[in-house]
Amino acid sequence: MKSEPESRIVKGIDVKFSIDDLQAMPDATSQWDGVRNYKARNYLRDDIKRGDKVLFYHSNCKVPGIAGLATVTKEGYPDYTAFDAKHPYYDP
């Protein structure tokens, strides 16, 4: 799972999300939104299953690479951010 640990502003909103941010979430769980690459989206939707282990990867930073391990807690579902015109990941 790719993430961006350093600040990046998109439509006025900071979209950074690091493994530290994930660990700070309730139950260390968060949705994975903003995936717009069709191959990646299809893989997440069709192949990743609950209980699968995934690598948490930091990108767009000074030292990109694997930052930790995570476990999938829910199978794929539509990304609500694609339909929210106010969200930086809106995809009309």
Side-chain angles (χ1 to χ4, degrees):
M1 309 307 292
K2 186 183 115 179
S3 70
E4 298 184 26
E6 295 182 4
S7 289
R8 182 170 68 94
I9 306 301
V10 177
K11 295 184 182 176
I13 297 173
D14 190 352
V15 296
K16 92 170 195 59
F17 192 78
S18 71
I19 196 157
D20 295 329
D21 295 320
L22 177 61
Q23 290 171 334
M25 301 293 290
D27 298 323
T29 302
S30 178
Q31 78 274 357
W32 207 262
D33 57 19
V35 177
R36 296 297 176 263
N37 175 287
Y38 289 106
K39 191 166 194 129
R41 181 210 57 197
N42 292 347
Y43 180 69
L44 289 170
R45 181 190 66 203
D46 301 335
D47 297 326
I48 298 290
K49 303 297 178 206
R50 187 171 189 257
D52 284 353
K53 304 292 185 199
V54 294
L55 300 174
F56 196 102
Y57 184 87
H58 282 172
S59 66
N60 294 341
C61 58
K62 292 178 184 172
V63 183
I66 297 168
L69 300 173
T71 303
V72 176
T73 59
K74 186 175 181 179
E75 292 187 14
Y77 53 91
D79 181 354
Y80 76 93
T81 66
F83 311 107
D84 181 355
K86 295 177 183 164
H87 198 280
Y89 296 141
Y90 176 60
D91 192 16

